[in-house]
Amino acid sequence: EDKSESIKWGYQRQFEKGKVYAANMYGYKSNRGTLDIIEEEAEVVREIFSKYLSGMSESKIARYLTENKVPKKNGSTKWDSGTIGRMLQNEKYSGDALLKKTFSIDFLHKKRYKNEGQKKMYFVENSHPAIVTKEVFKASKNPLSNKIICSECGALYRRTVWTKRNKEKEPVWRCSNRLKNGKAICPNSVTLKEKPLLDALTSLINGKTKSKEKTRLELAKEL
């Protein structure tokens, strides 16, 4: 128990100093508290993000990698959607690190639990070399990703950022077909501002939640 507490204390001090450890993370190798890029694996990571933002689902990306026999960290060439999903949500690929995501109860229990506020967490910005840009990573986490379909050509919408005349940044969503191939390919697709879209999505979710609660109360009265 003393040894376990000593090790925990050591890791705690390392976290506070911004040291990052991810021994089995695809695309990187740990090097004394920092992460070095493995370029061959990094190319696969970039391809995963690119395909996802172009509209390919996690399961289709996994199938593509499996069919092309792309090796994972352990040498296996069988990929699954869960692995792809976790990679798309891992902030370390953008050069940042959220530390202490999981924890164990004590030295007798091997099982680790998701840290949902029970323990102190550490966020280290720009802690190591990034494989994808922060813009690409944020776009992959956006709740609107792979959800908006162009009514003109059927392509998925993709997030991009406009710079206004006053230098202010404004995120918008545009037809990926038009962005890639030009206006002539899809001339009538509209540009959608992100904030109204997120406001509408929030309103829809809140409405559904209130509707479910109202139904539950009405059923409770009947019982």
Side-chain angles (χ1 to χ4, degrees), residues 58-77:
E58 296 166 5
S59 58
K60 286 185 178 179
I61 294 172
R63 193 179 311 127
Y64 166 82
L65 295 174
T66 299
E67 290 173 351
N68 284 275
K69 301 187 184 308
V70 176
K72 296 166 67 177
K73 204 76 169 175
N74 61 5
S76 169
T77 57

Side-chain angles (χ1 to χ4, degrees), residues 7 18 21 24 36 60-61 76 124 135 146 161 167 197 223:
I7 292 172
Y21 298 90
N24 296 315
D36 294 336
K60 286 185 178 179
I61 294 172
S76 169
V124 186
E135 289 74 22
N146 291 356
V161 178
K167 304 301 182 182
L197 284 172
L223 296 173

Side-chain angles (χ1 to χ4, degrees), residues 212-223:
K212 285 178 66 176
E213 181 64 16
K214 182 179 179 182
T215 302
R216 188 185 69 81
L217 291 172
E218 289 176 349
L219 286 172
K221 288 179 182 178
E222 293 295 325
L223 296 173

